Each structure stands twice: as C-alpha cells, then as structure tokens.
C-alpha cells in the first residue's frame, strides 16, 4: 500500500526547475529516507506533499502526487484537510512560546471537535505518551515549552503534530540540531511511530538513513536517481551515481 | 593624530552631543516639577476652575482629556490594527499597497493643526457633530492612526515566520494562524504603539482647538456631543488668554499634563522591555 505516490512530479521556483520528473512510492507504515547532496530538492519535494511551497510566490508544479486516492496537486484540492493528514516536523524544533499543554492542544482547538477539558487532557496525555515524553513532563504541563531541552522540544513538536491525528509524518532533517544521544532517542521514537504512521525523513546523515529506514530514495540535481529498499540502495545500488554517493565519493 | 587621540576626541564629541540632548529635556522636567509641584493638591485635581480660572482646580480639563484620549483609542485601535493586519499579512507588494504604505508614513508627518482643520471641516461641519467630544476624539484618532498602524505592523512582522509555518502546517487556516499565533505574539508591541499614540493625543492642542475644546466650562460634559475642556488647551488659555493667573496654577497644569504623558511613555517602555525579555525565539 502506498501512503504517497509521486508520478512525474516537476517543480519550479520561478524559472528554476527544482524537481525533474520525480517518481516514487512511499509505503504505508514504513520509514522512507530521502538522501542526496545539499540543494538537490529534498526539502522541496517534502514541502510539495503538504503544499507548504504554496506560500512562496512564483512556484509552479506539474505531475501527480496521490494521497488517499486523490491528486493533491489538483487546483481544487482543499489544503486544510491535506495538512491535517500530512503533518510536518521541521529542522529546528519550533514550539510556540506557550506552555507544553497549550502547544499540544493547539491543533485540536483549531480544528474544533470535542474541546472539553477532559478531551483535551486525554489528547495531551496520549500525544505525550506516544513520543515517550509523558513520564518526563506530566508534572510540568504548565511550564513554558521554550524551557525544554532541544530534544524534548523536537519530541514536543512531534506530539503537537500527533495530536492532530495525521496519517503521514514528514520530517525534514529532524535530528540535525540534536546531539548523538538525542538523535538516537528520536530514531527509537520513529521506529515506534511507524506502527501508526507513515514516515518520510529527509536526512544528510547516511548512517541515519541506513539505521532507521525501510526504503530510501537518492536524489541528485532535482532528479530521483534511485528509489528502493534501503538494504539494496546501500549494498548494491543499481546506479553509479548512487554508489558514488553512498560510498562517500561525493563532496 | 594617532588613533588613540582620535578615539578620545570622538568619544568626547559623542558625550557632548548626548549631554546637549539630555540637558534641555532634563531642565524642562526639573523646572516644571519645581514650579508645578507646589500647586498640586487634592483640591487642585478635583475642583472646577474658579474666579475666571485664577483659582480652583483643573478637574474638568483632566476628565475632558481622559475622555478624548479614550475616544481616540476606541476609534484608532480597531481600525489601525485591522489595517496593519491587512498590510502585513494579506496585501501583496504591489503599486497600490506601496502607495498606501507611503501615505501612512507621510501622514505621521502632517502638522497637527492640519488635522484640526480637517476635523473641523469633516466632523464638526460636514457630519454636523458640532464642537464635541465625538468630533475631537475622531480627529485625535485620525492623527494617531499612523502611529498605531506603523507600530502594529512592526509588531506583526516581528513574529517569526516559523510560527506561521508551523500553524499552517498543522492545518490552521490563514485567519486562524493570525488570530491564534500572530496576534497573541504581537500584542505587547501593539500595546506599546497604542500607548505612544495615546501620549501624543493627550498632549496636542491644535487638533482639539476647533473640534472640541471649551474655553471655560465649569461642569463635566454629559454626552459625547458636548464640548469639553482639555488640559493642553486649558494650559494655553491660562498662559496666554487670561491675565494674572498665578504661576502655581499654570505650572501645576503643565505638571499634570507632563505627568500623564510621561506616565504613558513609561508604561510603553516597561511593556516593551518585558516583551524583549520574554522574546527568546
Ligand atoms: N524559495 C526558493 N526560491 C528559489 N529557489 C529555491 C527556493 N528554495 C529552494 N530553492 C532552490 O531549490 C533547490 C532545491 O532546494 P531544497 O531546499 O529543496 O534542497 P535540499 O535538498 O533540501 O537541500 P538541503 O540539503 O541543503 O536542505 C536549491 O537549488 C535551492 O537553491
Ligand atoms: Mg533541505
């Protein structure tokens, strides 16, 4: 089953083409890593999946990105439900300058539904438990989120996202500001989360891709050079350029 | 000249320039406090002017100024804030919005007496409000609109782009993002601008001269269609139009006006510095 199916995706910033005929199939309940040198279009592709690029003037796209049976590039696609079901974790942990509790209930409040105290309390508990922060923070829910450690902040951001009950988690270099221990714990968390979510992670760190992902896509200059099971990409790549990159022969 | 000497010279010049700026301001405050404070008493603050304004207090002028300032803000804050939200969050950078922005910047440079004449023509005569608190408040409100808009816009634009991005990526609409993320983080800055605007409105004479200010009105206004006394105009009257007013009364009035304006500026400064302290994103 595919969570996201990408067919012949082209993307332009003004006259600059950042994605060229990208094809890929991101599987449900798996972790897919996207690797490639800086500027190859990894973030651009990720931000197509929840249409965050729409905020930039002069962008244009063509092709199809199919999520839940619908082409999200369709002009008529409704962005609010799309962004609810395809959530994003950013590179820099970016909690709102609010309490831990208020950060997590932000999404549920905005989306309406049952916002009684009990319902929100339960969402907070569930979300924090699923990012393994509940035991650390259950007595500190009223504390400002900005006082947490970097790793806690990043987990909180994931919890805030989970509170919206998405289906896909897009993570753009989520560990690049964390130390090795923090990185290891977030990687463990990702392995937990993949039972309930489909995860796409952009990373510069090839060991990380090899450690956590089931599938890997290698991008170069806007093209998806190779896409397949992680074990194959790293041990017997079919494309010479992939081999050069995973063996570290690129800059 | 070696670099050490020139550094010393530059330091001396800067110090001198700073002193030149600070000394007159300090002297104004010192003189007004020195000459005004003896005139301040409970009676002075709560009594109406008596004996052709040569005795009694300035209560109606204080109340009149409070009414005018309140009226100005009730008018200017919502409109100014909405305009600022539109300009910073919704409008695209095109010819029209550039003209609007330029107009707002220039509006803050228009002499206040021009606002007074404008208020006279529009509110007093055309809308037929007469010389009234309503006309005066609206005139002051228009005068401080540019301050409110400019500072609100700065406050809105200083909210990090990352917050908006996260909010949108969580599925919030643009308006929800503004309402729940941008505005709460911009409130201290908006308040600061509003209070600075209030201070300006409290101190100006020209805009209220033709639109509301009463020469002598020993009772309090009973509706927004009444005229009212106001501190800056009262000060002008007892200093230039009425002979033989005791210095204590003149400087006492100046003291009250100065205290009101400085208090508002102080408030704005406190809010701003607290904002800086909390701002750690
Ligand atoms: N807003 C923009 N306007 C114009 N060009 C852009 C914009 N954002 C990115 N680009 C260009 O698009 C290309 C792909 O950028 P993108 O951010 O997707 O790369 P990336 O693979 O995520 O790189 P990195 O590993 O450094 O994050 C780059 O050449 C970049 O210069
Ligand atoms: Mg990137």
């Amino acid at each position: 089953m595919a969570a996201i199916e990408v067919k012949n995706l082209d993307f332009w910033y003004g006259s600059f083409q950042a994605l060229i005929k990208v094809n890929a199939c991101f599987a449900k309940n798996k972790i897919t890593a996207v690797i490639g040198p800086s500027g190859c279009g990894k973030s651009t592709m990720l931000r197509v999946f929840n249409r965050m690029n729409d905020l930039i003037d002069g962008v244009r796209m063509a092709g199809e990105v199919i999520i839940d049976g619908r082409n999200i590039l369709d002009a008529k696609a409704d962005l609010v439900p799309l962004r609810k079901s395809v959530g994003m974790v950013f590179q820099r942990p970016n909690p709102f300058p609010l309490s831990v509790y208020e950060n997590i209930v932000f999404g549920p409040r905005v989306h309406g539904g049952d916002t009684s105290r009990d319902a929100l309390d339960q969402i907070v508990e569930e979300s924090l438990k699923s990012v393994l922060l509940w035991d650390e923070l259950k007595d500190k829910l009223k504390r400002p989120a900005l006082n947490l450690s970097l790793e806690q902040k990043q987990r909180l951001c994931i919890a805030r996202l989970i509170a919206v009950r998405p289906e896909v988690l897009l993570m753009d270099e989520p560990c690049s500001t964390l130390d090795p221990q923090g990185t290891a714990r977030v990687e463990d968390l990702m392995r937990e989360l993949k039972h309930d979510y489909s995860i796409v992670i952009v990373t510069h760190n090839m060991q990380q891709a090899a450690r956590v992902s089931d599938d890997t896509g290698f991008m170069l200059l806007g093209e998806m050079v190779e896409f397949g099971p992680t074990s194959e990409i790293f041990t017997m790549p079919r494309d010479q350029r992939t081999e050069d990159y995973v063996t570290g022969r690129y800059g | 000249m070696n670099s050490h000497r020139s550094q010393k010279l530059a330091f001396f010049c800067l110090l001198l320039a700073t002193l030149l700026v600070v000394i007159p301001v300090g002297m104004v405050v010192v003189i007004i406090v020195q000459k005004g404070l003896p005139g301040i008493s409970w009676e002075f603050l709560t009594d109406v002017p008596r004996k052709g304004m040569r005795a009694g207090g300035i209560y109606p002028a204080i109340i009149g100024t409070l009414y005018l300032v309140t009226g100005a803000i009730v008018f200017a804050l919502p409109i100014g804030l909405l305009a600022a939200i539109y300009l910073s969050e919704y409008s695209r950078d095109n010819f029209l919005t550039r003209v609007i922005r330029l107009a707002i910047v220039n509006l803050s440079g228009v002499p206040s007496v021009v606002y007074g004449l404008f208020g006279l023509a529009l509110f007093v005569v055309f809308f037929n409000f007469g010389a009234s608190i309503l006309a005066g408040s609206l005139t002051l409100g228009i005068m401080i609109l540019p301050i409110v808009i400019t500072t609100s816009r700065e406050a809105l634009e200083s909210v990090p782009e990352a917050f908006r991005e996260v909010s949108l990526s969580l599925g919030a609409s643009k308006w929800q993002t503004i309402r729940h993320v941008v505005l709460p983080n911009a409130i201290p800055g908006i308040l600061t601008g509003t209070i600075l605007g209030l201070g300006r409105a409290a101190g100006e004479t020209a805009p209220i001269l033709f639109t509301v200010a009463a020469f002598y009105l020993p009772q309090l206004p009973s509706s927004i269609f009444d005229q009212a006394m106001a501190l800056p105009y009262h000060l002008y009257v007892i200093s230039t139009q009425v002979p033989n007013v005791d210095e204590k009364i003149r400087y006492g009035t100046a003291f009250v006006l100065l205290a009101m304006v400085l208090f508002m500026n102080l408030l704005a400064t406190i809010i701003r510095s607290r904002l800086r302290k909390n701002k750690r994103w």
Side-chain angles (χ1 to χ4, degrees):
Chain A
M1 271 291 275
I4 304 175
E5 212 180 330
V6 183
K7 293 182 190 162
N8 289 325
L9 174 64
D10 289 317
F11 186 94
W12 291 266
Y13 293 107
S15 60
F16 172 71
Q17 184 163 12
L19 296 177
I20 305 161
K21 293 271 172 283
V22 169
N23 284 285
C25 187
F26 298 85
K28 265 211 168 92
N29 296 99
K30 284 194 178 172
I31 300 176
T32 308
V34 179
I35 58 173
S38 201
C40 67
K42 307 180 294 292
S43 300
T44 303
M45 180 179 74
L46 215 59
R47 294 163 64 92
V48 168
F49 297 162
N50 63 351
R51 296 278 300 269
M52 288 301 283
N53 284 324
D54 288 29
L55 304 176
I56 303 167
D57 279 338
V59 300
R60 205 154 52 80
M61 19 195 167
E64 282 180 57
V65 174
I66 298 182
I67 298 177
D68 271 340
R70 267 188 298 270
N71 178 14
I72 62 149
L73 300 190
D74 207 314
K76 292 192 293 284
D78 192 347
L79 297 191
V80 168
L82 169 67
R83 288 177 182 156
K84 250 177 92 171
S85 71
V86 182
M88 184 160 224
V89 178
F90 295 80
Q91 184 169 3
R92 281 189 60 79
N94 49 8
F96 295 120
L98 301 169
S99 68
V100 170
Y101 188 96
E102 289 298 320
N103 262 283
I104 297 176
V105 299
F106 177 85
R109 283 235 174 94
V110 157
H111 293 302
D114 186 0
T115 52
S116 67
R117 188 80 207 180
D118 285 346
L120 292 181
D121 283 352
Q122 197 182 343
I123 289 174
V124 169
E125 183 171 344
E126 278 171 12
S127 308
L128 282 178
K129 274 184 175 155
S130 62
V131 297
L132 314 176
L133 263 186
W134 176 247
D135 292 329
E136 275 164 73
L137 293 187
K138 64 179 175 220
D139 303 318
K140 302 175 184 168
L141 297 178
K142 298 280 169 254
R143 296 268 185 91
L146 295 183
N147 288 352
L148 301 177
S149 73
L150 264 181
E151 182 215 334
Q152 287 176 324
K153 279 186 197 166
Q154 193 62 302
R155 284 164 180 265
L156 177 65
C157 291
I158 299 173
R160 175 176 66 184
L161 185 53
I162 283 172
V164 184
R165 306 196 192 292
E167 284 159 28
V168 181
L169 306 183
L170 307 173
M171 303 187 170
D172 196 348
E173 304 186 39
C175 301
S176 65
T177 59
L178 306 183
D179 60 16
Q181 286 94 31
T183 301
R185 284 194 291 264
V186 171
E187 285 175 10
D188 286 340
L189 171 60
M190 289 169 63
R191 290 189 194 95
E192 286 290 319
L193 289 174
K194 81 171 179 182
H195 301 297
D196 299 308
Y197 306 92
S198 316
I199 299 177
V200 183
I201 174 176
V202 165
T203 175
H204 263 125
N205 179 332
M206 265 177 293
Q207 286 78 30
Q208 181 171 55
R211 277 194 305 264
V212 296
S213 69
D214 304 293
D215 293 332
T216 297
F218 169 61
M219 293 181 73
L220 192 61
L221 298 170
E223 286 181 78
M224 185 66 82
V225 172
E226 196 165 344
F227 191 97
T230 300
S231 51
E232 285 178 24
I233 297 278
F234 280 93
T235 55
M236 40 183 163
R238 262 167 282 156
D239 196 292
Q240 184 61 40
R241 294 169 292 175
T242 315
E243 183 171 345
D244 288 348
Y245 186 73
V246 298
T247 54
R249 253 173 280 167
Y250 267 96
Chain B
M1 210 183 333
N2 66 31
S3 70
H4 187 68
R5 288 252 303 277
S6 66
Q7 159 137 332
K8 271 198 155 165
L9 189 68
F11 177 75
F12 179 74
C13 291
L14 293 173
L15 183 69
L16 203 67
T18 312
L19 285 179
L20 278 177
V21 174
V22 172
I23 285 172
V25 177
M27 273 171 61
V28 168
V29 174
V30 167
I31 289 173
I32 289 187
V33 170
Q34 202 178 36
K35 295 192 174 178
L37 206 51
I40 305 296
S41 65
W42 184 245
E43 190 210 351
F44 184 69
L45 296 176
T46 57
D47 198 5
V48 299
R50 295 179 192 284
K51 298 192 185 140
M53 297 184 259
R54 290 182 189 88
I58 55 169
Y59 183 58
I62 296 177
I63 294 300
T65 287
L66 287 180
Y67 282 168
L68 287 174
V69 165
T70 310
I73 214 59
V74 164
F75 171 70
L77 182 57
I79 294 186
L81 187 54
L82 290 177
I85 291 175
Y86 175 75
L87 286 174
S88 82
E89 305 292 324
Y90 283 99
S91 73
R92 296 196 164 235
D93 188 27
N94 58 28
F95 181 72
L96 180 69
T97 55
R98 249 177 277 164
V99 169
I100 294 176
R101 279 161 208 244
L102 196 68
I104 290 168
V105 171
N106 280 306
L107 271 179
S108 53
V110 172
S112 56
V113 67
V114 175
Y115 284 106
L117 276 175
F118 169 77
L120 173 69
L122 187 68
F123 301 122
V124 178
V125 178
F126 182 76
F127 284 123
N128 204 15
F129 295 149
S132 61
I133 292 180
L134 182 62
S137 295
L138 290 173
T139 308
L140 287 172
I142 287 181
M143 184 186 76
I144 64 171
L145 257 183
I147 305 177
V148 174
I149 294 177
T150 310
T151 48
S152 300
R153 246 188 67 205
E154 274 163 15
L156 293 169
E157 278 164 12
S158 73
V159 177
E161 204 53 43
F163 290 176
R164 288 168 237 250
E165 245 188 10
V166 183
S167 173
L168 291 170
S169 82
L170 288 167
S173 67
K174 179 142 192 167
W175 171 244
Q176 286 172 323
T177 298
I178 293 170
R179 166 76 190 70
H180 296 291
V181 177
V182 181
L183 270 184
N185 285 300
I187 277 178
I190 293 167
L191 272 183
T192 310
T194 306
I195 295 170
L196 288 176
L198 285 182
R200 169 112 198 266
E204 286 285 347
T205 314
I208 55 174
L209 192 58
F210 321 118
T211 53
V212 49
F215 187 80
Y216 176 60
L217 194 70
Q219 79 271 21
L220 295 184
S222 60
S223 88
I224 57 171
F225 293 103
D226 285 353
Q227 276 196 291
M229 296 183 78
L231 280 173
Y233 183 60
H234 183 64
L235 181 58
Y236 165 74
V237 166
I238 57 178
S239 306
T240 62
Q241 310 293 305
V242 183
N244 302 328
V245 179
D246 191 357
E247 195 180 73
K248 260 185 6 189
I249 291 187
R250 284 190 275 134
Y251 278 95
T253 308
F255 178 83
V256 172
L257 181 57
L258 187 72
M260 270 172 90
V261 174
L262 286 186
F263 173 74
M264 287 186 210
N265 286 0
L266 184 70
L267 209 62
T269 314
I270 290 173
I271 293 176
R272 199 164 15 185
S273 72
R274 289 198 52 181
L275 159 79
R276 285 228 187 87
K277 229 186 303 162
N278 293 341
K279 204 174 187 173
R280 281 172 304 153
W281 53 71

